[in-house]
Amino acid sequence: MARSRAIYEYTEAEDKSMRLGFLLIAAGLLSLLGLGCCWLRPALQERGGGGSANCTVLAVRQLGERFSCTFSCGAACRGTARYPCLQVLVRTSRSSAPALLHEDERQLRTNPKCSYIPPCARDDQENSENVTYKQKYWKEKVGSQSFTCYFNEHLRPDDVMLKRTHDETVLLHCFLWPVVTFLVGVLIVVLTICAKSLAVRAEAIKKKKH
């Protein structure tokens, strides 16, 4: 019995291979659990109450109200600037009531009153120019053209988004790579065990012949 147990003892290289396999299995499971609780589940909830529609611009306007944003000019340099509020009102194919357009879900949460938040610059004038450029884009380039927009009943049913924050590709990668890590770990463990088993059998057959 002692001799049989000694035969099945793993070498140092095989032991390292097994440890790597179990480490990848644990990493894959923890990644799935962490992403599922902290990111994937909220993303699916966001998409669960949403859908797409065709939107047409009704009005583009700047409000007199200005909002604050935070700019960064270095590792220890931060400040506050202001930008004007741009509103793009659209009509959707699902409702005749006007809806306020937003860039995505994050922008809607950050500033639900406005349709666009410019990259925050130190100069208020530069922020105003960025907003004016976006206003001209919606008035002159888009105009009365129809485009795809998205809505989400869980956020604000009277608002629509130009794009989704969490699309199918992001969700696929969120699920795919932890699963690949888990499967690679399982494969390493299985191959190591199979290789050891074959080596033991070959050694036993060799001993029988002699």
Side-chain angles (χ1 to χ4, degrees):
M1 292 294 293
R3 181 180 299 177
S4 177
R5 281 196 293 267
I7 290 174
Y8 280 92
E9 286 183 358
Y10 290 100
T11 64
E12 184 179 354
E14 290 168 340
D15 186 58
K16 288 182 178 179
S17 180
M18 292 286 286
R19 289 182 182 180
L20 175 61
F22 286 123
L23 179 63
L24 290 176
I25 291 172
L29 290 175
L30 289 175
S31 297
L32 277 176
L33 182 62
L35 290 172
C37 294
C38 302
W39 196 89
L40 186 58
R41 185 180 176 183
L44 291 175
Q45 287 177 345
E46 282 184 3
R47 294 175 58 82
S52 61
N54 291 325
C55 285
T56 307
V57 176
L58 292 177
V60 184
R61 65 192 183 190
Q62 282 193 34
L63 302 182
E65 189 175 2
R66 285 178 171 262
F67 292 87
S68 299
C69 63
T70 303
F71 64 85
S72 176
C73 49
C77 176
R78 297 175 68 87
T80 302
R82 300 180 70 81
Y83 64 92
C85 181
L86 175 67
Q87 287 189 338
V88 180
L89 299 177
V90 299
R91 179 172 52 238
T92 69
S93 56
R94 71 185 183 94
S95 175
S96 58
L100 183 61
L101 181 69
H102 299 271
E103 291 282 319
D104 52 29
E105 289 96 339
R106 289 186 186 136
Q107 187 267 311
L108 171 58
R109 290 193 186 96
T110 302
N111 189 340
K113 285 190 176 182
C114 305
S115 298
Y116 174 67
I117 300 176
C120 193
R122 172 182 278 184
D123 186 11
D124 291 355
Q125 181 61 31
E126 183 177 346
N127 292 327
S128 298
E129 290 174 357
N130 287 335
V131 172
T132 301
Y133 174 81
K134 185 64 74 170
Q135 181 179 7
K136 289 181 179 179
Y137 168 80
W138 284 107
K139 275 188 174 181
E140 299 174 5
K141 292 191 176 182
V142 178
S144 59
Q145 297 180 21
S146 178
F147 58 94
T148 302
C149 59
Y150 303 92
F151 60 91
N152 193 316
E153 301 293 344
H154 292 323
L155 294 175
R156 290 173 54 138
D158 297 329
D159 294 53
V160 294
M161 276 71 66
L162 184 61
K163 58 185 178 181
R164 286 177 173 147
T165 304
H166 309 291
D167 59 14
E168 289 84 355
T169 304
V170 175
L171 296 179
L172 174 63
H173 283 285
C174 179
F175 178 75
L176 176 63
W177 297 114
V179 171
V180 170
T181 302
F182 174 80
L183 293 178
V184 169
V186 171
L187 183 61
I188 290 174
V189 172
V190 171
L191 289 177
T192 304
I193 293 174
C194 289
K196 185 63 177 179
S197 177
L198 290 173
V200 169
R201 290 183 182 180
E203 185 69 22
I205 293 172
K206 185 178 179 181
K207 287 183 178 181
K208 284 182 180 180
K209 286 183 178 180
H210 287 81

